[in-house]
Amino acid sequence: MPVSGEAAGAGPDEHARTGLPDAGPEAAGPGPGAATVLHSLDGGVSWITLNRPEAMNAVTWDQRERIIALLADASADPGVRAVVLTATGRGFCAGADLRGAPAPARERVPGDVARTIRLGAQRLIAAVLDCEKPVIAAVNGTAAGIGAHLAFACDLVLAADTATFIEVFVRRGLVPDGGGAYLLPRLVGPRRAKELMFFGDALTAADAERLGLVNRTVPGGELEALAEEWAGRLAAGPTRALALTKQLVNASLDGDRATAFAAEAAAQEINMTTRDANEGVASFVERRSPEYRGC
């Protein structure tokens, strides 16, 4: 059984001021021994719960690796027949934890950024897409950046009516990563995808459902029960047939994912040489508005 979290998302004014909910000084993570990813197995359902509510569940390196491992375990374990990915607190996932990133051991050289994206954000999204069990996202609050892509990669998406989805990258002068430019056009078409990515506006749960990014929107207090119901139905179903169906559907949209991911990594490599990208990241860390110069 999962640990319940609050369903209230951050308000639009907060997003407008900062681009992301303020993770606060605790963004480096809870104290030693605290579980930042909760896991339980109940009735054939693997519940994976991000648990850094004080940081709006901005995902750290450790959390990412733990989620990837749990999804791999779910694929290999015949006792797991469905997966639910959710979070505690007001946020589902406010993106990557920039403050918690390890300091580089040396000066960055060409290839480093692309390699980091391939081995980091792209591995996380691929782990969801490639999981052999159906994965449900139960989005309890704000899903921004890689957090939004984590939800969109899931097979089914349930959302609290207070949840929001934000393609936050443009606010920081960044190219979307974590498969965003691969996932969104397949889900909503290229024009809608560009609108979301070009402007970075917060998308309400109701609008996300209207666009087809969310299967069902419910009051926050009903989210866990609905996720449990849907996961239970999947867990009681023909697991291998569901796995094969998932593979067939994904493959029908997946003409060349390797090329899309390589192009994303290359774009990241190029973009990180620009002043605006570095200014965007610096302004986020320093909690100030960015000053872009178009270069």
Side-chain angles (χ1 to χ4, degrees):
M1 188 69 64
V3 175
S4 299
E6 299 172 19
D13 291 341
E14 183 175 6
H15 295 312
R17 288 198 309 272
T18 65
L20 275 178
D22 187 3
E26 303 91 344
T36 60
V37 178
L38 306 177
H39 180 248
S40 63
L41 183 60
D42 181 35
V45 179
S46 174
W47 290 83
I48 302 173
T49 305
L50 291 169
N51 187 39
R52 296 180 70 229
E54 75 287 347
M56 297 290 284
N57 292 303
V59 69
T60 65
W61 185 94
D62 288 339
Q63 286 178 299
R64 184 191 74 211
E65 294 304 308
R66 177 66 172 151
I67 294 168
I68 291 171
L70 288 170
L71 289 168
D73 290 345
S75 289
D77 185 353
V80 176
R81 301 176 66 184
V83 177
V84 176
L85 184 59
T86 189
T88 60
R90 296 185 300 121
F92 175 74
C93 177
D97 183 2
L98 299 178
R99 297 185 187 97
R106 55 169 171 75
E107 183 179 353
R108 188 167 65 213
V109 298
D112 282 350
V113 173
R115 188 179 308 107
T116 297
I117 295 298
R118 285 198 308 271
L119 298 179
Q122 290 182 351
R123 278 181 60 241
L124 176 60
I125 299 306
V128 179
L129 292 170
D130 295 337
C131 182
E132 296 177 26
K133 311 298 166 63
V135 183
I136 297 173
V139 182
N140 54 299
T142 301
I146 187 67
H149 299 168
L150 184 61
F152 298 154
C154 292
D155 302 301
L156 300 169
V157 182
L158 307 176
D161 55 9
T162 50
T164 55
F165 299 84
I166 313 172
E167 286 297 315
V168 76
F169 300 95
V170 70
R171 299 186 185 185
R172 297 299 166 197
L174 301 175
V175 173
D177 65 21
Y182 167 79
L183 292 166
L184 273 173
R186 286 161 171 76
L187 293 169
V188 300
R191 293 195 188 281
R192 288 290 192 182
K194 289 173 186 176
E195 178 183 346
L196 294 172
M197 291 180 165
F198 285 1
F199 295 112
D201 294 332
L203 189 67
T204 66
D207 285 340
E209 182 176 7
R210 177 176 55 81
L211 291 175
L213 291 168
V214 168
N215 293 88
R216 194 75 54 83
T217 299
V218 296
E222 300 175 14
L223 179 64
E224 183 181 311
L226 183 60
E228 192 168 354
E229 176 194 343
W230 280 35
R233 291 178 63 186
L234 292 171
T239 304
R240 183 49 50 188
L242 290 175
L244 292 171
T245 300
K246 173 176 178 172
Q247 291 175 15
L248 288 172
V249 173
N250 285 353
S252 73
L253 302 172
D254 197 6
D256 194 353
R257 189 176 84 203
T259 298
F261 274 13
E264 175 188 279
Q268 288 283 345
E269 181 67 30
I270 295 169
N271 187 69
M272 288 307 294
T273 66
T274 67
R275 177 206 173 273
D276 282 356
N278 287 279
E279 162 66 7
V281 173
S283 66
F284 175 77
V285 173
E286 296 165 11
R287 301 186 185 183
R288 58 177 176 79
S289 297
E291 297 180 6
Y292 296 132
R293 298 180 183 174
C295 59

